[in-house]
Amino acid sequence: MRPYHKIPIFECGEPLMAIPLELFAVESPHPYEKLGATYGDRSPYYLRQSVIENLIQAQNYLQLLHPNWRIQIFDAYRPVAVQQFMVDYSFAQAVRDRGLTDVELSPNQRQEIWEAVYAIWAVPSLDEKTPPPHSTGAAVDVTLVDDAGEIVNMGSPIDEMSERSHPDYYANSDRPEAQKYHAHRQLLQDVMLKVGFQRNPREWWHFSIGDQMWAWLNNQSNPANPVTARYGRLV
Ligand SMILES: C[C@@H](N)C(=O)N[C@H](C)C(=O)O
Ligand SMILES: [Zn+2]
């Protein structure tokens, strides 16, 4: 259970729709499809209708500040089965990265790796009260592309299981490179928050609007006007 799972969900029934990809930059091939994740008759490039509208507004605002820059979509809608696939994949990859195999893991090593996995991945819960954020169609993982079509350097890749994923990891560094990464992360946050998204406090790339995490973050900064979630898990 994460603290945001206490937020009640009142599903509004808004449809899940295809993102107009021609407006954005897109990570292609899709990073999880490339690994074998399957989506049936849906696509990872789907979001709730008004989430798409907000994403378009965020890009419009970005282009006022930086003409011809674009938001790059890494991932959006994610069924719980894909959440499970990615959690299992990330665990297996972390075992390989440590030069180990599953059978030789000690209980402590196993626990340490699961903690690292769940530091960045939501639990693939099928409980309607605790949906993984992307299974609601309200969460999106994004970065920026500049006017030359180059991916803007944020100082760490999306989905890295390390401290570098924390949005403020580079905030207090004296190194000019690090200050640039922090400024890029701040720019991404500024354009997304300007139109109402909230950012996951643990990941510089994850934003949502209308889900439990979004409501919880809103309520942290504005407890006098608490909100609830309007998007639950899609079936
Ligand atoms: C790991 C990253 N792609 C992500 O989406 N993390 C959040 C917390 C999630 O799994 O919903
Ligand atoms: Zn995400």
Side-chain angles (χ1 to χ4, degrees):
M1 257 307 248
R2 296 266 161 86
Y4 59 83
H5 284 138
K6 295 209 178 88
I7 299 286
I9 303 169
F10 298 100
E11 171 58 50
C12 67
E14 199 178 292
L16 187 68
M17 297 179 64
I19 301 168
L21 295 180
E22 67 282 3
L23 298 184
F24 297 95
V26 183
E27 170 95 11
S28 182
H30 182 269
Y32 308 153
E33 283 188 318
K34 197 170 63 182
L35 300 175
T38 53
Y39 291 78
D41 59 357
R42 290 186 176 156
S43 146
Y45 303 120
Y46 278 17
L47 282 172
R48 299 288 189 132
Q49 185 173 9
S50 67
V51 181
I52 294 175
E53 287 160 11
N54 283 291
L55 198 56
I56 293 171
Q57 278 182 35
Q59 180 165 267
N60 289 343
Y61 180 58
L62 169 70
Q63 292 176 346
L64 286 178
L65 305 173
H66 293 279
N68 298 320
W69 283 40
R70 280 181 298 161
I71 290 175
Q72 168 141 307
I73 298 165
F74 180 88
D75 187 39
Y77 172 63
R78 191 186 304 153
V80 179
V82 175
Q83 187 79 20
Q84 182 73 61
F85 175 92
M86 286 310 304
V87 162
D88 294 343
Y89 175 87
S90 302
F91 180 86
Q93 183 61 48
V95 173
R96 283 193 291 274
D97 289 348
R98 286 159 177 77
L100 298 166
T101 59
D102 193 80
V103 286
E104 64 197 15
L105 289 180
S106 70
N108 280 348
Q109 284 171 322
R110 191 174 291 281
Q111 188 186 337
E112 179 264 312
I113 296 174
W114 276 121
E115 281 170 12
V117 169
Y118 283 124
I120 77 152
W121 292 96
V123 173
S125 164
L126 282 165
D127 183 335
E128 288 186 356
K129 294 195 175 75
T130 59
H134 286 267
S135 72
T136 70
V140 63
D141 295 336
V142 287
T143 188
L144 297 175
V145 168
D146 69 15
D147 49 1
E150 299 292 332
I151 294 186
V152 173
N153 196 334
M154 299 283 180
S156 68
I158 292 177
D159 283 356
E160 182 173 274
M161 292 197 299
S162 88
E163 299 280 298
R164 298 197 305 174
S165 295
H166 292 175
D168 287 335
Y169 179 79
Y170 292 108
N172 301 314
S173 174
D174 294 334
R175 286 193 307 123
E177 274 306 296
Q179 288 172 355
K180 226 187 299 170
Y181 303 149
H182 186 65
H184 293 156
R185 291 177 181 201
Q186 284 299 112
L187 172 63
L188 179 60
Q189 144 145 301
D190 288 349
V191 301
M192 296 296 280
L193 266 59
K194 176 85 175 171
V195 302
F197 285 93
Q198 290 282 2
R199 180 175 67 181
N200 182 337
R202 297 178 180 201
E203 298 170 7
W204 61 257
W205 61 84
H206 177 112
F207 296 85
S208 67
I209 189 162
D211 66 349
Q212 286 177 304
M213 190 189 290
W214 168 86
W216 185 78
L217 290 166
N218 267 294
N219 298 348
Q220 293 295 107
S221 50
N222 193 5
N225 282 308
V227 292
T228 54
R230 59 180 178 275
Y231 301 124
R233 172 167 62 86
L234 288 151
V235 283

